[in-house]
Amino acid sequence: MTTYTTTLNDIRAASPCKDGWEKLLSHLGKTKADDEPLPLLTILDSNGLDDALWVLSNAMQPEHDRLSRHFQAWCTEPVLHLFEEKRAGDTRVRAQIAMLRNDAATPDERAAARSAASAAALDAASAAAWAAALDAARSAAWAAAQDDASDAAWAAASAAAWAVAQDDAWAAARDAARSAQEQQLRKMLTENF
């Protein structure tokens, strides 16, 4: 079984945030960095998902790259359909997921796939921003076209209620996704991955 470890010296060398660093030291009952092996699972338990992912990206040994790549693929795959619904026929993100899981790929092959997926995401974000701007312009034009103030007030209230409902739904979805990500990382760290 692979044990995913780093050291406090490796974390310190990567310039962690002050709050996260102090929280980890306190959890470990230490006052300074050392070279004692420190399991990533301990960091997850102490500081949470964000700090564990930061350490995985910034303070782990190169041999732990496989964990990072496979975790990235796992996180991306559930939302791939959202991209593909809007960008039918664009396989760049799907190819990047496959490349993340390809343990035999070269660094150059991984970099090329990452670059292509980034370009695809930028293309999709630009298209989404343009669509949102058009929707906002249509809504504003519709409200301006209403002669009656009560109709405009009703439209504004409806839009505000819809925005709040969407915010609540997004927050719930984000929290569920974060919980699933933490469970998956914990599973990958504790099983023979």
Side-chain angles (χ1 to χ4, degrees), residues 12 20 28 54-55 59 70 75 87 96 102 116 132 134-135 141 158 164 168 187 189 193:
R12 189 71 181 148
L28 297 171
W54 183 87
V55 169
H70 284 257
C75 289
R87 311 283 298 179
Q96 170 62 6
N102 181 353
L134 286 176
D135 285 345
S158 295
V164 168
D168 289 347
K187 178 181 176 184
L189 291 171
F193 176 77

Side-chain angles (χ1 to χ4, degrees), residues 38-51:
L38 175 61
L40 186 58
L41 187 57
T42 300
I43 298 164
L44 181 61
D45 290 339
S46 167
N47 288 39
L49 182 62
D50 289 337
D51 283 359

Side-chain angles (χ1 to χ4, degrees), residues 14-25:
S15 301
C17 70
K18 182 181 178 192
D19 291 341
W21 176 250
E22 290 174 356
K23 183 177 183 178
L24 181 60
L25 286 178

Side-chain angles (χ1 to χ4, degrees), residues 104-114:
T106 67
D108 288 343
E109 290 169 330
R110 288 195 183 111
R114 183 174 40 254

Side-chain angles (χ1 to χ4, degrees), residues 9 14 26 32 36 45 48-49 54 62 73-74 85 96 104 106-107 126 130 151-152 188-189:
N9 276 328
S26 176
K32 62 181 183 169
E36 185 177 320
D45 290 339
L49 182 62
W54 183 87
W74 183 90
E85 285 171 5
Q96 170 62 6
T106 67
S126 296
W130 180 250
D151 286 344
M188 292 172 85
L189 291 171

Side-chain angles (χ1 to χ4, degrees), residues 2-6 56 60-69:
T2 302
T3 302
Y4 298 97
T5 63
T6 188
L56 183 59
M60 297 294 286
Q61 299 301 315
E63 63 267 16
H64 299 314
D65 174 66
R66 182 175 188 270
L67 172 67
S68 179
R69 288 185 293 100

